[in-house]
Amino acid sequence: KLYDYIRSGKVIWSIGNKCDLNSVLVEENKLGVTSENNVEDILATFETLYEAWEKDGLKKYANASIQTDFYSREFQNARYLEIIRKEIEGSLH
């Protein structure tokens, strides 16, 4: 699902452990915000996003320069197919 969200170009809010891959990808690529899955963090993040939305929108939380084609299902499926084909070819030899 994360790749679908990235592809959409919308601000992503990853809720969960900050060490999880989803959160790391969101943070490293400046795709949105992250919060731990507890009431305090979720509420604080919601308030931050709401204030930003009220003032000037959420543009500062979305990385407009990221290459979203890389995250499309078509591109990812083609990569998976390439990996599978290489594995099959390797096992035949």
Side-chain angles (χ1 to χ4, degrees), residues 2-85:
L2 178 60
Y3 282 5
D4 290 335
Y5 297 141
I6 293 171
R7 180 81 170 119
S8 77
K10 305 268 187 214
V11 174
I12 297 171
W13 181 358
S14 178
I15 300 173
N17 187 325
K18 291 199 180 219
C19 296
D20 287 348
L21 182 58
N22 281 353
S23 294
V24 171
L25 282 172
V26 169
E27 289 285 327
E28 286 181 354
N29 292 290
K30 297 178 178 37
L31 299 170
V33 296
T34 63
S35 65
E36 294 285 333
N37 192 9
N38 62 61
V39 173
E40 295 82 19
D41 280 358
I42 291 171
L43 183 58
T45 304
F46 177 78
E47 289 172 347
T48 299
L49 288 173
Y50 186 78
E51 287 173 14
W53 174 79
E54 277 189 320
K55 291 179 184 172
D56 59 359
L58 299 171
K59 294 177 194 134
K60 71 178 182 180
Y61 292 105
N63 183 355
S65 66
I66 192 165
Q67 185 182 6
T68 57
D69 289 345
F70 174 80
Y71 296 98
S72 72
R73 285 187 184 268
E74 293 81 12
F75 184 83
Q76 292 301 316
N77 287 340
R79 289 184 66 197
Y80 296 143
L81 183 57
E82 184 180 324
I83 291 168
I84 292 168
R85 284 184 176 150

